[in-house]
Each structure stands twice: as C-alpha cells, then as structure tokens.
Amino acid sequence: MCLILFALNEHPEYRLILAANRDEFFNRETLSAHHWEENERIIGGKDVVSNGTWLGLNTNGRFIAITNYRDPSRENKNAKSRGFISRDFLLSHRDTKHFIDNISIDRKAFNGFNLLLSDDGCN
C-alpha cells in the first residue's frame, strides 16, 4: 500500500514535512529523487518504465504526490501510467483547477489513484 504522511504549517521552521513510500513492483526500475535531466526545474523520483513520478516538486512551487488505489475488479492492464499525471502537472503552466478538471474527464484512462497537489508553494 502506498502512503503519504504530511504536516503543513505545524513546525516553526518547516512549512511542509512529508514522508511517503512507493509501493510498486520490485522489478520495476526507478531512480531516487534527483533533478531531472530533461527539466532541471523538476525534482523527484522517476519510474524508468514510464518516465513519470509518484512524488515531485518544481522550482515554481508546484508539488504533487500520487498513490495507487488497487481494485482488482477494475484493474485495466492497458491503463496509462499514473506517473504521467504527476509529470504533466510538474511540466504544466495551467492552474490547478483546470488541471484537475482535465484529469476528471480523463480519469478512466488510469487505474485508481489518490492525488495530492499544490501550485502555491504550500502557502
């Protein structure tokens, strides 16, 4: 199970405290958090298979975390990688509401997920 734990504005020095795990198949190659070569403004881990991420941020103050939500009765083997959602948000200049509206329209293209995102630097 994927988990994200966070505390916002609960510490005098750190606005955001975050802990997360990535519960995925062990044989799926990943890279730990780093500045992405294709866009140095993005920092996050990377799923080498799909070039997406489960957790990332960029220098414009965007933050995103995504967890899987497994429902074997609805699992689509041909679904798009959920990591694309994170990658696209970090690369996008669209406001968050517009981005979420588009995901809502296209959500059936992905297997289940939970999403946490911000475009205001966690203010």
Side-chain angles (χ1 to χ4, degrees), residues 70-121:
R70 295 195 194 273
D71 181 351
S73 68
R74 294 184 176 185
E75 191 78 14
N76 176 356
K77 302 285 186 213
N78 297 316
K80 291 182 187 178
S81 171
R82 293 167 281 229
F84 290 148
I85 296 170
S86 301
R87 183 197 65 203
D88 291 349
F89 179 72
L90 294 172
L91 292 170
S92 174
H93 297 286
R94 292 180 287 170
D95 65 86
T96 301
K97 180 175 181 346
H98 185 255
F99 189 85
I100 290 171
D101 289 345
N102 284 341
I103 291 171
S104 295
I105 292 167
D106 197 31
R107 72 181 180 277
K108 294 195 186 284
F110 303 94
N111 285 316
F113 62 89
N114 299 297
L115 187 63
L116 177 65
L117 53 82
S118 172
D119 65 0
D120 69 359

Side-chain angles (χ1 to χ4, degrees), residues 31-71:
L31 300 174
S32 59
H34 65 285
H35 284 273
W36 288 11
E37 289 180 21
E38 64 271 24
N39 190 321
E40 285 287 318
R41 292 182 12 242
I42 296 176
I43 301 169
K46 187 173 273 192
D47 178 333
V48 175
V49 174
S50 69
N51 288 317
T53 188
W54 57 96
L55 176 70
L57 56 98
N58 71 21
T59 56
N60 293 340
R62 286 183 175 239
F63 163 81
I64 191 163
I66 192 165
T67 64
N68 58 18
Y69 178 84
R70 295 195 194 273
D71 181 351

